[in-house]
Amino acid sequence: TVGGVEFAVADLGEAEFGRKEIRLAEHEMPGLMALRREYAEAYPLRGARISGSLHMTVQTAVLIETLTALGAEVRWASCNIFSTQDHAAAAVVVGPHGTPEEPRGVPVFAWKGETLEEYWWCTERMLTWDGEGPNMILDDGGDATLLVHKGTEYEKAGVVPAPEADDPDEWKVVLELLRRSLAERPGKWTKIGEGVLGVTEETTTGVLRLYQLAAQGQLLFPAINVNDSVTKSKFDNRYGIRHSLIDGINRGTDVLMAGKTAVVCGYGDVGKGAAESLRGQGARVVVTEIDPICALQAQMDGYQVKRLETVLPEADIVITTTGNKDVVMVEHMARMKHQTIVGNIGHFDNELDMAGLARYPGIRRITIKPQVDEWTFPDGHSIIVLSEGRLLNLGNATGHPSFVMSNSFSNQVIAQIELFTRNAEYDREVYRLPKKLDEKVARIHVEALGGELTKLTKDQAEYIDVDVEGPFKSDHYRY
Ligand code: NAI
């Protein structure tokens, strides 16, 4: 704690650089800046204590400072061990009006290159307020929500289960953290869970977890699925990835992609952006899919659809985008060409069999530089794994650019206002924002890019059965 602000970041000396990049990003985030103007006098988030778990980047800094401009108190951690931009974290702690000697910003617990123990420590610190706990959670991938739910569940049972031998290392760390907190502060997580009015969730994987909790009747508070706002998943997941996937591959390896064969596993929103990104560099792209609809989309877009086993002998680059587990196994890696680049851009690292790779008999690992490892098999061939299997666009590069994140984060801010100010109208279910607000977010960004929207006449509006002011589509429309 310095100057009253609690924090754990790499170096407050980087704050000035962070502040300069935040200033540039603000201009590229017209949605967030419009919300700051719209609510300049109303402070709809006054009284909100938001615990946020989301990649601590420059763009997230603009989100955090929008939440505080609207009246919220905020504590923050990153939702990935490699995704923090240390200068952004420092600038948020220092704040626009503070100095490194006298920070006046927001408590942040995040640095690039955390261990798993440090990561969960940061998540716990972010959820632990002096006095009253958080009353709102802003989550990306659901780790903050998971900690509160599992903590509450085990406190109710009075015991934290012992880890199983084949549990993933990360789960063992979570169990150890909860075991310690049950011993030292019994009731901690139950109290936090009872105080939270709601969560707004950023990504596909976190949303899946929320729907599972709701289906089992275990969701402790209402949730807004931000991911499935059209102006989130159809933009960030797709066009954001189109930008940041090749950024990560370039910064990690600087290998020419043109003329190479790239395999994209999964052709959902992220896969569509990934395939386009690689094709844009001149790579030949082959897609793997389980879902015939997405597979057919890939074919219509001009990509071959094959099984991974079929295409492995040709692959130079393999990227997973499925949000599923065990997609590329060590047996696949053992059969790859020399120096095939392997990376994941889905939320969790279990898309790649990193545990199997580390255990493979005779395997050798050489770190080329942070977040780039060469793994050499006993037969002499090697593969290059980016970000240890964690989302490579944030591990090897700086994630999505500001303009696309302005869309996502505008939805986040609107969802926080909605759940905080009209909480009584929400049950312990998962909701989406109304289409009207989705269209509002889009309109701001269309205009910021100099676009001109055509206005419906009253007569036309009646003919297609919509209001002149929107919403312009029914809820079942798919874009
Ligand atoms: P999605 O559900 O639209 O797409 C996933 C696709 O993978 C689906 O079409 C599914 O049929 C396919 N799939 C599932 N298992 C498969 C398998 N074994 N082999 C081949 N295909 C398989 O989900 P979306 O929105 O594309 O997100 C994917 C992941 O990316 C999620 O984990 C999400 O949280 C994450 N994400 C990461 C971002 C980043 O910046 N790195 C940004 C946005 C989302």
Side-chain angles (χ1 to χ4, degrees):
T1 303
V2 180
V5 185
E6 202 190 335
F7 61 89
V9 302
D11 178 9
L12 285 191
E14 292 189 42
E16 191 184 336
F17 172 37
R19 183 54 50 189
K20 287 177 185 159
E21 288 217 323
I22 290 170
R23 185 170 53 76
L24 298 186
E26 284 171 349
H27 178 68
E28 277 287 294
M29 303 189 85
L32 289 181
M33 300 315 272
L35 288 167
R36 287 191 200 181
R37 283 193 299 278
E38 182 177 344
Y39 292 110
E41 273 149 39
Y43 297 110
L45 292 175
R46 186 177 278 151
R49 296 183 301 279
I50 303 173
S51 280
S53 166
L54 195 153
H55 311 291
M56 185 54 257
T57 63
V58 169
Q59 291 71 34
T60 302
V62 183
L63 166 64
I64 292 171
E65 292 181 354
T66 303
L67 297 169
T68 56
L70 269 49
E73 283 180 77
V74 176
R75 288 170 83 85
W76 213 264
S78 201
C79 63
N80 183 280
I81 59 173
F82 292 136
S83 64
T84 297
Q85 290 164 19
D86 288 325
H87 61 314
V92 170
V93 171
V94 167
H97 308 298
T99 62
E101 293 71 37
E102 205 163 326
R104 293 172 60 184
V106 163
V108 174
F109 307 88
W111 58 94
K112 190 174 182 75
E114 297 158 0
T115 64
L116 288 175
E117 284 80 7
E118 289 167 344
Y119 171 80
W120 286 97
W121 176 85
C122 288
T123 305
E124 182 177 17
R125 291 311 308 153
M126 173 276 297
L127 283 163
T128 308
W129 294 61
D130 260 353
E132 283 184 281
N135 52 18
M136 295 293 295
I137 294 178
L138 192 157
D139 219 351
D140 182 348
D143 279 351
T145 305
L146 173 109
L147 205 53
V148 176
H149 278 76
K150 284 292 169 196
T152 302
E153 180 187 330
Y154 298 152
E155 281 172 359
K156 206 175 285 170
V159 61
V160 177
E164 312 265 340
D166 58 351
D167 277 345
D169 287 348
E170 182 152 8
W171 183 237
K172 292 177 184 160
V173 172
V174 175
L175 289 178
E176 173 56 25
L177 181 155
L178 290 174
R179 196 194 53 71
R180 188 174 33 77
S181 95
L182 187 65
E184 288 167 10
R185 287 185 59 189
K188 166 178 174 150
W189 299 105
T190 309
K191 187 150 175 277
I192 291 178
E194 284 168 359
V196 171
L197 298 171
V199 58
T200 60
E201 169 56 54
E202 175 81 1
T203 197
T204 315
T205 287
V207 162
L208 176 68
R209 286 178 167 185
L210 286 172
Y211 282 112
Q212 286 169 339
L213 280 172
Q216 295 157 358
Q218 288 175 2
L219 195 57
L220 294 173
F221 32 74
I224 291 187
N225 162 0
V226 168
N227 182 67
D228 288 293
S229 288
V230 181
T231 48
K232 200 286 183 180
S233 49
K234 298 291 169 189
F235 290 83
D236 163 328
N237 303 25
R238 180 169 188 172
Y239 305 113
I241 292 287
R242 184 175 69 179
H243 173 106
S244 64
L245 170 61
I246 56 159
D247 192 7
I249 298 173
N250 276 326
R251 293 199 210 195
T253 69
D254 207 21
V255 156
L256 185 76
M257 290 170 243
K260 303 280 172 59
T261 297
V263 182
V264 173
C265 300
Y267 201 68
D269 291 320
V270 170
K272 289 177 176 75
E276 202 180 343
S277 178
L278 291 158
R279 175 151 75 185
Q281 292 300 302
R284 182 173 78 94
V285 178
V286 182
V287 166
T288 75
E289 252 296 345
I290 51 153
D291 177 344
I293 296 178
C294 297
L296 186 59
Q297 283 182 314
Q299 288 172 318
M300 295 297 109
D301 289 338
Y303 306 110
Q304 270 185 308
V305 175
K306 294 282 173 198
R307 296 217 177 110
L308 186 56
E309 291 74 13
T310 315
V311 70
L312 265 187
E314 301 153 48
D316 300 290
I317 302 171
V318 178
I319 305 295
T320 52
T321 76
T322 68
N324 203 345
K325 64 173 188 169
D326 299 342
V327 176
V328 178
M329 302 305 289
V330 69
E331 294 75 28
H332 296 125
M333 301 180 201
R335 288 181 46 214
M336 285 176 183
K337 289 202 295 195
H338 186 49
Q339 290 192 6
T340 297
I341 296 167
V342 183
N344 165 48
I345 204 155
H347 192 79
F348 286 120
D349 58 335
N350 56 352
E351 300 211 19
L352 305 181
D353 181 16
M354 294 305 297
L357 184 62
R359 277 199 309 263
Y360 196 84
I363 196 89
R364 273 187 308 125
R365 170 183 173 178
I366 298 171
T367 298
I368 307 293
K369 60 181 179 181
Q371 286 85 55
V372 180
D373 291 299
E374 182 186 24
W375 292 81
T376 305
F377 287 82
D379 68 0
H381 91 284
S382 68
I383 61 168
I384 299 167
V385 179
L386 301 179
S387 288
E388 300 179 17
R390 293 165 201 276
L391 21 77
L392 73 94
N393 60 327
L394 282 137
N396 295 87
T398 53
H400 297 351
S402 300
F403 195 86
V404 88
M405 294 315 294
S406 178
N407 287 269
S408 309
F409 289 167
S410 296
N411 284 291
Q412 276 288 4
V413 173
I414 291 169
Q416 285 281 324
I417 295 173
E418 183 65 19
L419 268 187
F420 182 66
T421 58
R422 296 168 9 109
N423 199 256
E425 291 172 40
Y426 291 90
D427 292 324
R428 294 173 184 191
E429 301 284 342
V430 187
Y431 298 86
R432 278 183 296 134
L433 287 174
K435 192 170 290 291
K436 191 113 193 153
L437 296 177
D438 227 346
E439 290 178 355
K440 172 179 164 174
V441 171
R443 182 185 298 276
I444 293 168
H445 293 91
V446 169
E447 288 170 359
L449 289 173
E452 294 176 1
L453 281 166
T454 300
K455 208 160 168 40
L456 275 177
T457 65
K458 199 165 172 303
D459 204 30
Q460 283 178 315
E462 271 167 26
Y463 186 69
I464 59 169
D465 199 19
V466 299
D467 194 281
V468 173
E469 299 301 330
F472 300 102
K473 297 288 195 296
S474 60
D475 267 341
H476 59 255
Y477 186 79
R478 291 197 176 93
Y479 296 88

